[in-house]
Amino acid sequence: MLLPASITRRALRSAPQSIRAAARPAAWASPRSRSVWDSHRPAWRVAEQRRPLSNTVRTRFADVEGKFDPRSLDRESDEVDVCIVGGGPAGLSAAIRLKQLANEAGNDDFRVLLLEKAGELGDHIVSGNVMEPSAINELIPDWLSEDNPNRFENATPAKEDKMRFLFKNSSIPLPKPPQMNNHGNYIISLNQFVKWLGERAEEVGVEIYPGFAASELLYNHEGVVKGVATNNLGISREGKAKDSFERGMEFHARVTLLAEGCHGSLTKQVVKKYDLRRESQHQTYGLGIKEVWEVQPEKFQSGLVVHSMGYPLPTDTYGGGWMYHFGDNMVSIGLVVGLDYPNPWLAPYGEFQKMKHHPLYKDVLEGGKCISYAARTLNEGGFQSIPKCAFPGGALIGDTAGFLNVPKIKGTHSAMKSGMLAAEATMDALAANVDKGTIFLYDYEDKLRSSSIWKELKQVRNMRPSFHTPLGLFGGIIYSGLEAYVLRGKEPWTFKHGKADYASTKHADQCKKIEYPKPDGKISFDILTSVSRSGTNHEEDQPVHLQVKDWDKHAALEWPKYKGVENRFCPAGVYEYVEDDSKDLGVRFQINAQNCVHCKTCDIKVPDQDINWTTPQGGEGPKYVLT
């Protein structure tokens, strides 16, 4: 049944997340399922169909060739106090803290709106995750209390740590540095945690809109960020408006907080516009590939945390594996590969499949069942790569700013803390800005520098770049041990990162070709089987969100030098070079965008930097489970 046109947006704001999560325009559903979506579409979209809106132009203006330009239609807009882009730990923590402060001050009308491109909160979230609870203890002190009926019920206390250096068929123990001590931490599924955090946000009055992909930053006449716009829907692959076309919507805010996670698409734009990296080094990245398994009960050790280095990665490639036992017979297993690896023949996905056959992992997985697959990039630049985080009209929070502690392999607590600091700085700035002029969150920068985030990252600033020495892996391990036990971050020097990840890639003829074994279908799997476990889905008849201006030009640039590096660095089978005798190269470059799991590796690693990851239609992409 359709929602009555009399329902207002304000009524929608009080609707549960489950209703707003289902608020996908008809363009996203097949004709057979369209009526199901329509019955849950937001009231303001239903009302929009039934009666004209004063600020929405209904006429479609076509040029002399009959082509329709979506920009000829005005967008509907909404005014809020704070708009947050991204429903991960940072964005939700900022939203909760903002409403806590507003409610404490008796300002119940203070509007905090959070946009999340995933169909539901958590669908696009990937992490290890052994969480340090410092931030959540501060934000929601009773988050685990038996007296709290809404407590988080899926936290497994970390009980035992192991660290191993792997050879092909054996391993040796490594001393555990202080940063790797997980006593008092919890193994969680960040997917579950984010869903729970979203419910807590709604309880305090945050407006959450899943399935709304913020694709454009909006600026006022002074060049100050004044909000964001969501992307248009119902555009064909050729860029033409279909019958289901709907113009995107604008959300105007006094403060806009970007919490997009690693390598955010809007963050890229704002960093460039305001030159936020003028005093920092470039960011460097890793690609994390993960599976969740249900293992046999006799192989399960609740609370066991295992990390490994060495095999299968070559000595010139930074990275390592993990295995965490959590929940009921569940095991999180994964591999992180530094994207500054030089050999274009290396495939992170293939390395992960090899790692699972090592006895350390295989003995646990054998006889179990793989139930989920995911992949996502993570920031590894650390202290040296933190940009200016405040910009006119807003700020960067969480992993989009790069607060991951790489040696500690933790970032959730610092992402949450940064969101909370930004919330406090925002409320102070809004209270002081009585004339409603431009908001500059200078206090946020100050709060960061005096926070535990800054101290923690500065202390380990030299560990990751120490692996760039001529001694490679072993030199990095030796220096990291010296840093952990002796120097403790007090040294007067700060190492610089090497080349940018894309510039670190050597030509294919300079490197040894790597042949990966055929997957056995029990422990290791082909890439399309894994992608099917990610639940990813994109409507095919829409513009390709992985933007390459000229596919033939791209092939001419990349293929002769790197022999299909895109196919190997992508963990989802998105990129292919298909044999084609009609092409001068003998191959044709192809993008299978519907496979994309939104990891952002292509945007980071492609050597000639001509792939631009942009948001597809909101609600599309992976639908992760227990990741």
Side-chain angles (χ1 to χ4, degrees), residues 275-327:
D275 193 19
L276 299 182
R277 288 205 174 278
R278 58 187 177 274
E279 296 177 13
S280 68
Q281 294 180 36
H282 63 268
Q283 187 58 263
T284 183
Y285 302 88
L287 170 61
I289 301 176
K290 172 181 181 175
E291 290 174 349
V292 179
W293 285 66
E294 184 176 9
V295 301
Q296 295 176 334
E298 63 270 19
K299 298 180 178 181
F300 178 71
Q301 301 179 60
S302 181
L304 176 62
V305 175
V306 179
H307 292 106
S308 68
M309 297 185 72
Y311 181 85
L313 297 178
T315 57
D316 62 358
T317 299
Y318 180 83
W322 81 80
M323 179 169 58
Y324 306 149
H325 293 234
F326 71 106

Side-chain angles (χ1 to χ4, degrees), residues 97-136:
R97 188 67 185 128
L98 282 163
K99 286 298 291 184
Q100 286 176 341
L101 293 169
N103 294 344
E104 288 169 8
N107 189 359
D108 295 339
D109 291 331
F110 187 84
R111 293 189 63 193
V112 179
L113 182 139
L114 186 146
L115 302 175
E116 166 56 43
K117 65 183 176 67
E120 295 181 22
L121 289 181
D123 281 1
H124 293 177
I125 288 288
V126 185
S127 179
N129 178 298
V130 181
M131 184 176 71
E132 182 178 306
S134 55
I136 185 63

Side-chain angles (χ1 to χ4, degrees), residues 200-319:
R200 307 289 76 76
E202 287 192 323
E203 286 175 355
V204 293
V206 178
E207 302 169 39
I208 300 176
Y209 289 82
F212 284 69
S215 60
E216 180 184 346
L217 286 164
L218 303 174
Y219 303 94
N220 67 14
H221 65 282
E222 296 177 333
V224 175
V225 171
K226 68 172 185 178
V228 298
T230 60
N231 53 9
N232 298 320
L233 305 172
I235 302 290
S236 73
R237 195 175 180 90
E238 291 74 31
K240 297 179 180 179
K242 298 185 287 188
D243 290 341
S244 56
F245 171 78
E246 291 191 39
R247 188 75 161 105
M249 183 174 178
E250 295 186 1
F251 293 93
H252 299 168
R254 297 191 65 194
V255 175
T256 301
L257 300 179
L258 299 183
E260 300 178 285
C262 178
H263 207 63
S265 52
L266 297 184
T267 299
K268 286 191 303 179
Q269 299 174 35
V270 82
V271 166
K272 183 176 180 180
K273 180 177 179 64
Y274 298 116
D275 193 19
L276 299 182
R277 288 205 174 278
R278 58 187 177 274
E279 296 177 13
S280 68
Q281 294 180 36
H282 63 268
Q283 187 58 263
T284 183
Y285 302 88
L287 170 61
I289 301 176
K290 172 181 181 175
E291 290 174 349
V292 179
W293 285 66
E294 184 176 9
V295 301
Q296 295 176 334
E298 63 270 19
K299 298 180 178 181
F300 178 71
Q301 301 179 60
S302 181
L304 176 62
V305 175
V306 179
H307 292 106
S308 68
M309 297 185 72
Y311 181 85
L313 297 178
T315 57
D316 62 358
T317 299
Y318 180 83

Side-chain angles (χ1 to χ4, degrees), residues 412-439:
T412 302
H413 68 293
S414 52
M416 294 179 68
K417 182 64 177 178
S418 71
M420 293 155 65
L421 294 175
E424 292 163 5
T426 295
M427 293 302 285
D428 289 343
L430 289 174
N433 196 291
V434 292
D435 61 353
K436 295 192 175 183
T438 300
I439 299 293

Side-chain angles (χ1 to χ4, degrees), residues 352-372:
F352 175 51
Q353 301 308 312
K354 282 171 61 178
M355 187 193 81
K356 289 188 293 175
H357 281 278
H358 188 280
L360 180 71
Y361 296 105
K362 184 178 179 180
D363 290 348
V364 175
L365 301 180
E366 216 162 23
K369 179 183 179 182
C370 180
I371 61 175
S372 187

